[in-house]
Amino acid sequence: MRKRNSQEHGVHDGLNEAQLQAVLHDDTPLLIVAGAGTGKTKTLVHRVAHLIERGVPPARILLLTFTRRAAEQMLRRVDQLLRQIDSPNNRPGAIAPQLWGGTFHATAARLLRAHGRAIGLEPGFTIHDRADSEDLLDLVRTELKLDKSEKRFPKKRTCLAIYSHVVNSQKPLNQALTDAYPWCLDFAEPLKRLFQEFVDRKEQMAVLDYDDLLLFWRGALADVSAGRAIRERFDCVLVDEYQDTNRLQAEILQLLRPDGRGLSAVGDDAQSIYSFRAATVRNILDFARDFPGASLVKLEQNYRSTNHILVATNALIAEANERHAKSLWSTRDGGSKPLLVTCDDEGEQADVLVRQILEHREGGIELRRQAVLFRASHHSILLEGELLRRNIPFVKFGGLKFLEAAHIKDLMAFLRLAENPRDVVAGLRVLTLLPGIGPQTSRKLVQLLVAAKGDFSVWKKAKVPAAAKEDWPKLVELMEQLVSMSSIEVASQVRVARLYYGPWCDARYDNPGPRLRDLEQLEQLAGRFSNRSAMLAEITLDPPSSTQDLPDSPLLDDDYLILSTIHSAKGLEWDVVYVMHASDGCIPSDLATKSPEEIDEERRLFYVALTRAKDWLYVMHPLRYFFASRGPATDKYGYAQLTRFMTPSVEAFFQRCAAEQLVVTADNGEYAGPEVRPDIRRQTRAIWD
């Protein structure tokens, strides 16, 4: 039977000309510059399907994304697309398990388990999340007596941020401090000592943190034998959100595909907004330099926004100092110009926002299809108070990760210590649960365990404080049981640890009920994993999210407004978008204006906010800001300037109005303009008639 081509069986139906060009591209390096709302995910999915249909074995395709959810969604869509192909190799659900799809860090962990021995890395390593790394750094910081410095030495979170920035940006420490942490320059030498000891301690403990995963992956690729073995695994590598990669990730890709053959990268330089994570827009701007002979395909047809919104956002991003030039367009005509709303102060901004939100709701746009965006989380405090006062439900994007909650970290520590008895951080967390055992005693007990090569029976004879003697035998018994259960299903191991830990959780925390339910959820989640090592790695690399540390009553309303920082809103869209605080000092942030590069990123951040809107876009500008005070409320205030990004050439595409004049009728979707006011001077004169 003749094999039908793509167009005959419809695999590439629905693609526009630029998308089809990207999908059908050959094996030479390819950069797809995909503007906001132009269907980049669809294009990437179709390209993966096309490669498989062309004969590339699914197991030889690597798809790198920035979240596991993104990878899973893409792989599901590839499966759905390939159902149209009449081939026994393309049965529904048969493709996704074969593809290598996941985040950079998860892929690194998987490859290092297989090839780590070639570079001296034992495959039984455990993985620390950010909080674990902070705790280990703090332990080393204390041992080096850096906490006793006469000057204010950086705390553990700042120390880890500096360490991570150096690793991912590949900058020398002094340059990283100068660029991002200038207040820490005086501590360059002690920081070097801290980081050297931190690296040594991780090696002794057989743990890797997020930064290590990338460093060791790069190291494996640079090794002659390991590098060849890893490269030979893949024929094609596809990278999503390339503008969000850092210098270390770019080096990994260059080592993985030295000639660029089979490499496809998708991204948008106009949405590069994560330099605080060491991401660099240079990677996407310099793609052709890094991979000579690369082709560039631009996706410019926008399927999200009206043309009124697109011409305004095109004008905004056109003023960037350096970019891949593109002009987004849409077949969606109609709608009205974006509105630039001038408010007297923050209070009026909150009031007019709520009024307009309710007006759109009455016009048929649900609250959940509307979003209020802001530069920093605290910018929404006044609005949140107004929403609560008017009984309008809302959800604010952000909060702790599931694994960052203290009770989850406690339970996971038992499993991590059973898996790797050299993990000092897990040992300290487990041991300090018991009364009378502090950090010093914990360190001695962990050292005893390490000397015994992880044999927990050595703890049976250990001397512990009197307050812990009653509970000590039960803990030792639990740890020996968990070690012996390594081949038993993971959910059973979590259950054993949960039943032991439950009373401690009940005693340690207020409102323990929701926390105990979280632990039950963790037990159910464990059932998805084949072994304990896989669970510890995957749940650390891509933890589920929780809205807050202490779960509250569930949101029972079936509709709610979205509040979000602009960073958290990236990749999302709503019918109506309101951007608050479009004032210099807020947008751009006054902390991010030290260089032209920082200002350019703030412009891109503003662009990301505006391009989330489908039909309606409001940019709010308060004229006055009252000074914060720790004492009684004050009437002192200062005037704010409109954001520098709203230049005359950009503002020309907005309709400007004062908050008191804002009357957008929900029934016809038109801004009515200023109300007709009576002649006040005429009335004033009439007083004297």
Side-chain angles (χ1 to χ4, degrees):
M1 179 183 291
R2 181 177 66 88
K3 187 173 182 178
R4 295 178 292 178
N5 62 37
S6 301
Q7 283 73 18
E8 287 178 311
H9 56 55
V11 169
H12 301 315
D13 286 352
L15 296 175
N16 63 39
E17 185 177 343
Q19 290 172 334
L20 188 61
Q21 180 185 353
V23 167
L24 300 179
H25 184 77
D26 58 25
D27 289 336
T28 57
L30 170 66
L31 175 62
I32 305 169
V33 177
T38 57
K40 76 169 179 66
T41 301
K42 179 179 181 180
T43 304
L44 202 55
V45 165
H46 279 257
R47 178 147 178 79
V48 173
H50 170 72
L51 291 171
I52 294 171
E53 188 217 2
R54 201 181 71 187
V56 180
R60 298 188 62 79
I61 297 175
L62 172 60
L63 174 62
L64 291 168
T65 63
F66 273 78
T67 66
R68 185 170 64 179
R69 173 179 290 184
E72 291 174 346
Q73 289 177 342
M74 286 189 195
L75 297 184
R76 280 198 300 269
R77 289 176 63 175
V78 169
D79 262 337
Q80 293 168 1
L81 194 56
L82 289 173
R83 291 178 185 182
Q84 303 173 55
I85 302 176
D86 53 351
S87 167
N89 295 324
N90 292 328
R91 296 187 303 273
I95 299 299
Q98 301 177 50
L99 282 161
W100 279 67
T103 65
F104 271 87
H105 295 91
T107 302
R110 186 177 173 186
L111 288 170
L112 290 171
R113 300 278 187 208
H115 301 281
R117 287 190 188 277
I119 56 171
L121 179 67
E122 290 297 320
F125 61 84
T126 52
I127 301 171
H128 274 185
D129 63 15
R130 292 293 182 197
D132 297 325
S133 296
E134 286 178 9
D135 289 343
L136 180 58
L137 257 177
D138 200 40
L139 176 65
V140 176
R141 179 177 177 271
T142 302
E143 290 177 357
L144 294 177
K145 295 184 168 44
L146 296 176
D147 58 331
K148 306 298 183 183
S149 170
E150 293 182 0
K151 295 184 179 180
R152 180 174 58 96
F153 194 82
K155 301 289 274 187
K156 62 179 182 179
R157 178 167 295 184
T158 303
C159 289
L160 182 63
I162 294 169
Y163 175 88
S164 187
H165 189 86
V166 170
V167 169
N168 290 289
S169 67
Q170 294 295 283
K171 295 178 181 177
L173 176 59
N174 276 25
Q175 184 182 342
L177 292 175
T178 301
D179 292 347
Y181 303 92
W183 63 93
C184 299
L185 268 169
D186 289 344
F187 300 104
E189 288 306 315
L191 281 170
K192 284 182 182 178
R193 284 194 291 120
L194 173 64
F195 296 153
Q196 287 166 353
E197 182 62 28
F198 178 54
V199 170
D200 291 343
R201 196 63 59 89
K202 286 186 291 184
E203 183 175 4
Q204 295 166 12
M205 293 166 53
V207 301
L208 300 182
D209 58 23
Y210 291 160
D211 302 319
D212 292 331
L213 289 169
L214 299 183
L215 282 172
F216 277 78
W217 185 8
R218 185 187 65 177
L221 285 167
D223 180 79
V224 175
S225 60
R228 183 188 306 112
I230 294 173
R231 280 187 287 274
E232 288 176 351
R233 278 182 174 268
F234 307 111
D235 293 329
C236 298
V237 177
L238 301 96
V239 188
D240 191 21
E241 304 286 7
Y242 192 63
Q243 78 281 349
D244 293 336
T245 55
N246 57 47
R247 194 60 235 157
L248 180 55
Q249 289 166 326
E251 290 178 3
I252 287 170
L253 290 174
Q254 289 166 30
L255 288 167
L256 189 59
R257 313 310 297 168
D259 59 358
R261 191 161 188 80
L263 176 63
S264 303
V266 184
D268 182 10
D269 54 288
Q271 298 184 68
S272 178
I273 58 174
Y274 291 113
S275 66
F276 64 92
R277 297 179 187 167
T280 172
V281 71
R282 297 307 326 168
N283 286 349
I284 192 168
L285 292 177
D286 297 337
F287 187 85
R289 185 201 67 185
D290 295 337
F291 300 99
S295 299
L296 173 66
V297 175
K298 298 178 184 178
L299 304 185
E300 297 177 294
Q301 182 176 355
N302 180 283
Y303 295 93
R304 174 187 299 159
S305 307
T306 64
N307 266 316
H308 280 299
I309 293 173
L310 293 178
V311 294
T313 54
N314 283 338
L316 170 67
I317 202 61
E319 297 186 351
N321 288 319
E322 191 175 1
R323 68 190 185 102
H324 286 296
K326 58 185 178 298
S327 182
L328 303 188
W329 59 276
S330 172
T331 58
R332 294 192 60 212
D333 294 322
S336 63
K337 281 186 175 184
L339 289 168
L340 175 59
V341 184
T342 303
C343 308
D344 185 51
D345 54 32
E346 294 175 271
E348 187 176 49
Q349 176 181 239
D351 178 69
V352 73
L353 272 171
V354 173
R355 285 194 288 111
Q356 199 56 54
I357 288 163
L358 293 176
E359 182 71 23
H360 278 301
R361 178 177 176 272
E362 290 303 313
I365 301 178
E366 297 174 309
L367 293 176
R368 69 178 67 206
R369 290 160 56 197
Q370 304 183 54
V372 183
L373 308 183
F374 31 86
R375 175 63 177 85
S377 183
H378 66 272
H379 287 169
S380 66
I381 291 175
L382 206 62
L383 174 63
E384 291 175 45
E386 189 66 15
L387 292 170
L388 289 170
R389 188 179 71 81
R390 301 198 193 191
N391 196 30
I392 299 174
F394 64 89
V395 170
K396 188 172 181 178
F397 279 37
L400 286 178
K401 292 284 190 182
F402 188 63
L403 266 191
E404 292 173 349
H407 54 297
I408 298 296
K409 290 190 71 64
D410 287 346
L411 186 62
M412 291 289 287
F414 291 102
L415 302 176
R416 284 176 39 212
L417 186 60
E419 184 70 17
N420 178 11
R422 287 186 285 172
D423 190 336
V424 175
V425 174
L428 293 179
R429 191 167 195 106
V430 165
L431 292 168
T432 52
L433 289 172
L434 273 60
I437 296 184
Q440 188 172 355
T441 303
S442 297
R443 281 195 288 272
K444 291 180 181 178
L445 289 167
V446 172
Q447 289 168 1
L448 187 65
L449 181 63
V450 171
K453 297 183 178 180
D455 184 356
F456 284 94
S457 64
V458 73
W459 275 359
K460 292 179 178 178
K461 300 177 182 178
K463 293 182 179 180
V464 296
K469 281 188 176 179
E470 182 179 347
D471 300 300
W472 184 247
K474 296 177 184 176
L475 174 62
V476 177
E477 181 183 354
L478 169 71
M479 296 312 304
E480 289 184 322
Q481 184 178 2
L482 288 175
V483 169
S484 68
M485 295 177 72
S486 61
S487 59
I488 306 298
E489 62 178 15
V490 188
S492 297
Q493 299 180 50
V494 175
R495 178 176 177 78
V496 168
R498 179 177 66 82
L499 292 176
Y500 170 85
Y501 172 68
W504 294 109
C505 180
D506 191 70
R508 286 169 67 89
Y509 302 111
D510 294 330
N511 191 23
R515 293 181 184 267
L516 293 173
R517 289 195 292 273
D518 280 349
L519 301 180
E520 293 173 1
Q521 287 289 101
L522 185 62
E523 181 182 335
Q524 294 179 25
L525 181 66
R528 304 178 186 176
F529 299 97
S530 58
N531 57 66
R532 185 169 64 202
S533 175
M535 175 194 171
L536 291 171
E538 291 190 36
I539 203 172
T540 300
L541 291 171
D542 189 20
S545 293
S546 163
T547 55
Q548 50 190 342
D549 189 18
L550 284 170
D552 203 344
S553 301
L555 185 65
L556 300 179
D557 202 298
D558 63 350
D559 194 18
Y560 45 82
L561 179 69
I562 304 298
L563 307 183
S564 176
T565 62
I566 302 172
H567 283 101
S568 297
K570 186 171 174 289
L572 304 174
E573 61 183 40
W574 295 274
D575 292 359
V576 187
V577 168
Y578 311 85
V579 181
M580 298 177 68
H581 299 291
S583 307
D584 250 40
C586 295
I587 302 176
S589 168
D590 53 6
L591 298 176
T593 55
K594 298 188 297 295
S595 68
E597 291 77 18
E598 286 187 337
I599 294 172
D600 249 13
E601 176 159 332
E602 291 292 300
R603 179 183 284 104
R604 294 193 295 267
L605 190 63
F606 191 39
Y607 173 82
V608 166
L610 303 190
T611 53
R612 302 308 95 199
K614 296 168 67 175
D615 301 308
W616 289 94
L617 174 61
Y618 299 83
V619 176
M620 319 297 292
H621 169 229
L623 289 174
R624 295 189 299 172
Y625 285 86
F626 288 92
F627 297 143
S629 174
R630 295 186 180 183
T634 176
D635 290 332
K636 295 180 179 180
Y637 63 88
Y639 279 110
Q641 292 184 349
L642 178 64
T643 173
R644 69 188 70 182
F645 303 138
M646 195 63 72
T647 61
S649 59
V650 176
E651 191 178 333
F653 297 103
F654 283 77
Q655 189 165 353
R656 190 160 193 168
C657 70
E660 62 184 15
Q661 300 169 337
L662 182 60
V663 182
V664 176
T665 55
D667 53 351
N668 62 19
E670 291 293 335
Y671 166 56
E675 298 176 9
V676 177
R677 304 292 178 104
D679 187 336
I680 298 175
R681 287 194 182 276
R682 179 174 52 79
Q683 292 182 357
T684 305
R685 286 195 209 96
I687 296 174
W688 313 108
D689 288 345

